[in-house]
Amino acid sequence: MENITSAQNARVKSWAKLQTKKGRQASQTYLLDGWHLVQEAINHDGKLHAVMATAEQLEAHMADVPHGVPIFQITDDIAKKLSDLVTPQGIFAEVTMPSATRDPHFIHDGAWLFLDGIQDPGNVGTMVRTADAAGFAGVVFGEGSVDMYSPKALRAMQGSQFHVQTTTGDLKEWTTAFVDNGINVYGTQLDPEAADLFMVEPQTQFGLIMGNEGQGMDAELAAATSQNLYIPLTEQAESLNVGVAAGIAMFALKAR
């Protein structure tokens, strides 16, 4: 175990760069902040490059770090440099990014959530966690969606990215591939031709598209779906938060 006390240390500088998308792409690794996320990576075979923790956190968790993973003791000041939180917990892990892309033509298992330009990390985290809870196979981050490895998105996902497959991709390509293989893809849209979500028979295999918080689904993408759906609302509410709407749709469509 190496003890690092200076924020100017080269390792600290390289870890700090993982707070940025550019830094993550350059190293093909990302940073987990907090014991719960580090533990999820350990329990679900995340490829850990290093664990960095304050003396207090090492005392609590060092025995749980897999043999062979380099461990670095850091100061509270370094912990603050590595975190975007005001009061970080003081334990981090550098983890390898999984393969960023998959071929949709060879996806034939389970239900998949497609994120079309979802920009709020909290909404993304809510949807990935809900996809995990609803038993979805995976989540595809389409163009314009927030980086799944940003610190805020990772905190919001709470480790669910280790339980479901996550990938980036062209949602038009994914939608076409699913439909060509006889797999329904449902969009979510307030449209006269859209169907009531609750009138659709639950299924085990399908795609579900959730559109941008402000603009909704891409028009070309909406035209390529098997069917677009709406959630019937009562009283005076005009719309739902996209994370809430996704949760309702996922549990309504997914056969148990």
Side-chain angles (χ1 to χ4, degrees):
M1 181 178 68
E2 183 178 336
N3 187 9
I4 301 177
T5 59
S6 172
Q8 300 306 311
N9 179 279
R11 290 187 186 275
V12 175
K13 289 182 178 181
S14 66
W15 294 326
K17 289 179 181 178
L18 300 181
Q19 294 177 348
T20 69
K21 185 174 183 178
K22 182 179 179 180
R24 293 188 290 271
Q25 289 178 334
S27 68
Q28 287 300 295
T29 62
Y30 65 100
L31 201 64
L32 295 175
D33 183 350
W35 173 243
H36 175 69
L37 296 183
V38 174
Q39 186 179 42
E40 285 292 311
I42 291 171
N43 291 343
H44 296 280
D45 299 321
K47 295 182 180 179
L48 278 68
H49 283 245
V51 170
M52 306 80 84
T54 62
E56 180 183 10
Q57 289 296 313
L58 282 177
E59 183 177 357
H61 303 299
M62 187 171 176
D64 298 309
V65 177
H67 179 72
V69 175
I71 298 174
F72 299 87
Q73 182 173 318
I74 58 175
T75 64
D76 290 338
D77 285 342
I78 292 174
K80 289 180 180 179
K81 184 179 179 68
L82 298 182
S83 178
D84 64 345
L85 295 173
V86 176
T87 54
Q89 189 176 349
I91 185 167
F92 308 84
E94 182 182 4
V95 184
T96 297
M97 287 184 183
S99 176
T101 58
R102 295 192 62 189
D103 188 337
H105 296 277
F106 296 96
I107 301 292
H108 303 294
D109 59 317
W112 284 74
L113 177 65
F114 300 165
L115 304 183
D116 178 28
I118 304 297
Q119 297 177 343
D120 183 88
N123 286 335
V124 164
T126 295
M127 287 189 275
V128 173
R129 290 170 67 187
T130 306
D132 180 11
F136 273 50
V139 181
V140 183
F141 287 66
E143 184 178 351
S145 291
V146 70
D147 180 3
M148 73 178 83
Y149 299 112
S150 70
K152 289 182 180 179
L154 288 170
R155 280 198 300 275
M157 287 190 282
Q158 283 294 297
S160 283
Q161 73 272 24
F162 294 111
H163 311 158
V164 297
Q165 300 174 65
T166 55
T167 187
T168 58
D170 182 333
L171 295 188
K172 295 183 182 69
E173 182 183 355
W174 277 76
T175 298
T176 299
F178 271 44
V179 172
D180 286 351
N181 280 288
I183 303 170
N184 285 324
V185 177
Y186 298 106
T188 47
Q189 193 174 49
L190 288 173
D191 182 278
E193 297 182 1
D196 184 331
L197 165 70
F198 298 109
M199 296 296 104
V200 178
E201 191 72 22
Q203 298 153 54
T204 58
Q205 190 175 25
F206 60 91
L208 171 64
I209 306 171
M210 300 306 301
N212 173 267
E213 291 91 339
Q215 304 300 318
M217 286 176 57
D218 173 84
E220 187 177 342
L221 187 59
T225 63
S226 309
Q227 175 70 63
N228 293 317
L229 309 174
Y230 71 90
I231 299 173
L233 304 178
T234 60
E235 303 302 331
Q236 302 301 310
E238 295 183 357
S239 63
L240 294 171
N241 167 273
V242 68
V244 173
I248 294 170
M250 282 189 270
F251 276 97
L253 291 171
K254 180 71 166 61
R256 311 316 297 168

